[in-house]
Amino acid sequence: MDLFPTRVWTVDLAPLNGYLSDWIAAIEAMRKAHPQAAGRSNRGGWNSEATLFNDALFAPLQDAVRRVVDFAFAEMGPPTYPYRLQAWANVHDGGGYNTFHHHAGALLSGCYYLRLPQGSGKLTLRDPRAGAMLSPWQGSLRPNAGSEISIDPQPGQLVLFPNWLEHATQTHEGETPRVSIPINATPIFDTN
């Protein structure tokens, strides 16, 4: 019996491809206006604050992501509280990457890919269970083994996964910056 499956959704959002160049230009302008990176797991590049969906320019992406998140929640069983979407820009210059991390406090996390030039690093997902990570058996999808799965995303693709699933971006070996938009679906708790 395989008792602990982890579902990852990959969705082609090709109808949004007409926006890609405008979104990339907007992210480049943000970086120029605010060159100090917001931090977190990005190394060798730049990332913005998690306010991208506050900009009306990104409303079509926010609407599409909400539909995908709603679909994922319907498959898992919807949460009993509402959620909001947060997004930020992530740019990797040559040699840039993201360290392994997870998104504490989110319900689902994901990434939408805008520009992936030749040499772009893959998205790597890792089983975060200590027992699996310390297992003497290692390898992709072997029973009771530590596993890392790499996904080679495409421009216009959304990859959505549980917030606790550790993930990283492999080193970008190209010269043209790699551009993506990480996304979190975070709970909204009633403060009354």
Side-chain angles (χ1 to χ4, degrees):
M1 296 186 305
D2 293 328
L3 298 178
F4 303 107
T6 302
R7 179 157 293 170
V8 173
W9 297 263
T10 59
V11 181
D12 181 2
L13 298 180
L16 299 179
N17 286 354
Y19 295 99
L20 294 180
S21 60
D22 290 341
W23 290 339
I24 291 168
I27 289 168
E28 288 171 344
M30 285 179 219
R31 184 180 190 183
K32 188 174 182 179
H34 303 283
Q36 183 67 34
R40 298 183 293 277
S41 66
N42 188 319
R43 304 292 185 270
W46 175 86
N47 57 355
S48 71
E49 295 293 338
T51 57
L52 210 62
F53 282 162
N54 295 348
D55 186 333
L57 179 66
F58 294 93
L61 177 59
Q62 183 175 17
D63 293 342
V65 170
R66 185 168 297 281
R67 287 191 298 275
V68 174
V69 168
D70 288 345
F71 174 83
F73 284 156
E75 281 193 341
M76 295 186 306
T80 57
Y81 37 78
Y83 69 92
R84 65 184 170 137
L85 294 174
Q86 295 177 311
W88 57 98
N90 200 17
V91 179
H92 291 133
D93 298 323
Y97 62 95
N98 281 81
T99 60
F100 272 105
H101 63 285
H102 62 278
H103 294 211
L107 300 166
L108 288 173
S109 298
C111 195
Y112 177 73
Y113 296 90
L114 285 83
R115 182 169 61 202
L116 297 161
Q118 179 116 6
S120 288
K122 295 180 180 183
L123 169 66
T124 301
L125 305 171
R126 179 169 70 185
D127 185 341
R129 295 175 297 162
M133 291 174 68
L134 299 174
S135 173
W137 295 277
Q138 295 293 313
S140 176
L141 303 178
R142 291 184 184 159
N144 302 322
S147 297
E148 288 185 4
I149 307 296
S150 291
I151 296 174
D152 194 6
Q154 301 302 310
Q157 184 177 38
L158 172 68
V159 179
L160 191 69
F161 44 87
N163 70 305
W164 49 262
L165 189 60
E166 289 188 340
H167 55 285
T169 303
Q170 296 173 5
T171 303
H172 175 48
E173 297 175 355
E175 293 183 18
T176 302
R178 175 187 192 276
V179 182
S180 62
I181 299 176
I183 298 164
N184 281 333
T186 60
I188 300 172
F189 297 106
D190 186 4
T191 57
N192 292 335

